[in-house]
Amino acid sequence: MLKHYGTYGIPIRYEHILDSQYCDLITSNFNTATLARDAKFSDVIVWHDNKYAINQSAITKIAAISNWCTNNNIKLSGGNILTLLPDFLPKGILHTSNLEVVGRVYFEYFYTLIEKFPGMVWHINELFMPDGSVRQSILKSAIEVYTGKSFLQAITDWMEDSGCKFLWCDYRLQDIARWQSVLESINSDSVVGVGIQCHHQVPWMSQNQVLEGLTYVIDSTKRRGLSVEISEVSFMGRNRLGERQLCAGAYQPLFKVAGKIPVTFWAFHDGLPFPSPVAECGLFDARLQPTVIYDSILTTIQEMV
């Protein structure tokens, strides 16, 4: 079982803890979990006709997941509390022209989660472009208008005021300028580490660049005295046996560079998290049975012990 060899996790949803087969699979193999959707801005805030409300159903689901993880000795991470990608925003919010209102609503969302779930490590995610500049978005502008501060200063102040811990995350390891900005922008003791997102399609054409970037991020983060983990990893294919083999092979060099840092397998079974013709090849198939990918990862990890 993977959890016997290090810190390995999966994204977790409310429906998982209602299914005994999922529960058995998670508790047998993993010792960490990350909220997959239930805590996102678009899930917690209901926005309609320029009015908003806290979705109490979402809060109840997060609490249930948290309790289940505690009872099963699984460390739960809060997942995305901030990203500048547009799918993070509540439906309808893109049509408002009142940026101060959007900033105030996000502020309430942020502190609602912080106050109700203070023990979680929350993810600050996907803030930078490939050239290292801050991503432009409605949410960025709204936070600046609401606070009267630069975006990075505003969220740094909020993090320090919250008393919580945060993981500073981003993706595309081949974009070194992006990762230089990630590391340079960490100016708060509340940021305890860096999270790496790694999603690729097989055949893995950018492997050498990604592995060089992974080495750079791991070494640079450790020099700053921060923790580092692969907060999301998956490989995409069409679930045919040949592509499963390619995915299985792709994990081997990744783990050999990453070593024993924590890893969260973002697609732990087929088709997650983005069902499509080119979907995630999971560690488990649709019947939740181990695949050749699981076997390859387990063998690679055992060889590193």
Side-chain angles (χ1 to χ4, degrees):
M1 302 303 178
L2 295 177
K3 69 178 185 180
H4 298 315
Y5 299 96
T7 303
Y8 299 110
I10 46 89
I12 193 167
R13 303 177 182 181
Y14 177 68
E15 54 264 35
H16 292 161
I17 66 172
L18 304 179
D19 186 310
S20 60
Q21 190 177 5
Y22 267 110
C23 291
D24 290 344
L25 182 150
I26 294 169
T27 56
S28 297
N29 288 279
F30 304 102
N31 44 25
T32 65
T34 301
L35 290 173
R37 277 217 59 91
D38 297 287
K40 284 190 174 183
F41 193 21
S42 55
D43 293 287
V44 174
I45 295 293
V46 179
W47 183 280
H48 182 66
D49 289 338
N50 285 339
K51 297 179 180 179
Y52 71 94
I54 300 293
N55 182 359
Q56 294 300 329
S57 175
I59 300 299
T60 299
K61 288 178 180 180
I62 298 168
I65 294 170
S66 178
N67 291 336
W68 183 87
C69 286
T70 298
N71 293 337
N72 288 280
N73 297 314
I74 292 174
K75 183 179 180 181
L76 179 64
S77 171
N80 283 1
I81 198 169
L82 174 63
T83 175
L84 294 182
L85 295 181
D87 64 354
F88 180 67
L89 299 173
K91 291 181 179 179
I93 206 170
L94 292 173
H95 303 297
T96 181
S97 58
N98 193 328
L99 291 177
E100 185 173 359
V101 170
V102 176
R104 185 173 70 248
V105 173
Y106 176 77
F107 179 84
E108 183 169 339
Y109 155 78
F110 181 93
Y111 275 98
T112 295
L113 292 184
I114 293 301
E115 291 170 1
K116 290 186 178 296
F117 307 103
M120 290 190 193
V121 176
W122 295 95
H123 294 190
I124 305 295
N125 232 339
E126 300 147 337
L127 302 187
F128 297 98
M129 298 295 288
D131 65 0
S133 61
V134 177
R135 187 183 300 275
Q136 298 301 311
S137 77
I138 285 179
L139 185 56
K140 172 183 177 293
S141 299
I143 289 172
E144 290 177 335
V145 169
Y146 177 66
T147 62
K149 302 176 181 178
S150 71
F151 171 74
L152 290 176
Q153 186 61 56
I155 61 172
T156 296
D157 290 348
W158 286 357
M159 288 189 298
E160 290 182 342
D161 180 63
S162 72
C164 285
K165 300 300 182 183
F166 298 86
L167 199 65
W168 209 256
C169 308
D170 224 305
Y171 68 113
R172 282 187 58 87
L173 284 160
Q174 56 268 50
D175 297 336
I176 295 300
R178 183 200 304 269
W179 285 98
Q180 289 172 336
S181 291
V182 170
L183 293 164
E184 290 169 0
S185 65
I186 298 174
N187 294 307
S188 170
D189 290 340
S190 60
V191 178
V192 295
V194 168
I196 300 164
Q197 298 176 7
C198 190
H199 302 284
H200 298 279
Q201 186 172 339
V202 294
W204 193 13
M205 305 304 292
S206 58
Q207 176 178 315
N208 290 339
Q209 290 176 298
V210 170
L211 296 180
E212 289 172 5
L214 180 60
T215 300
Y216 168 79
V217 174
I218 291 174
D219 291 347
S220 299
T221 303
K222 288 182 176 179
R223 279 198 297 270
R224 293 201 55 175
L226 297 169
S227 67
V228 60
E229 63 183 75
I230 298 179
S231 54
E232 299 180 16
V233 63
S234 66
F235 287 93
M236 290 173 279
R238 296 181 184 274
N239 299 335
R240 295 191 298 268
L241 181 59
E243 293 197 345
R244 282 196 193 281
Q245 293 286 359
L246 288 173
C247 289
Y251 278 104
Q252 293 173 357
L254 190 74
F255 271 87
K256 288 179 180 178
V257 171
K260 299 294 289 181
I261 68 174
V263 175
T264 297
F265 298 97
W266 206 246
F268 70 98
H269 72 73
D270 286 351
L272 289 175
F274 312 112
S276 69
V278 181
E280 312 287 358
C281 285
L283 280 66
F284 301 87
D285 62 23
R287 296 173 298 140
L288 301 185
Q289 298 303 305
T291 68
V292 64
I293 298 172
Y294 177 94
D295 295 337
S296 176
I297 291 171
L298 181 59
T299 298
T300 301
I301 292 171
Q302 289 173 330
E303 290 174 350
M304 295 192 303
V305 174

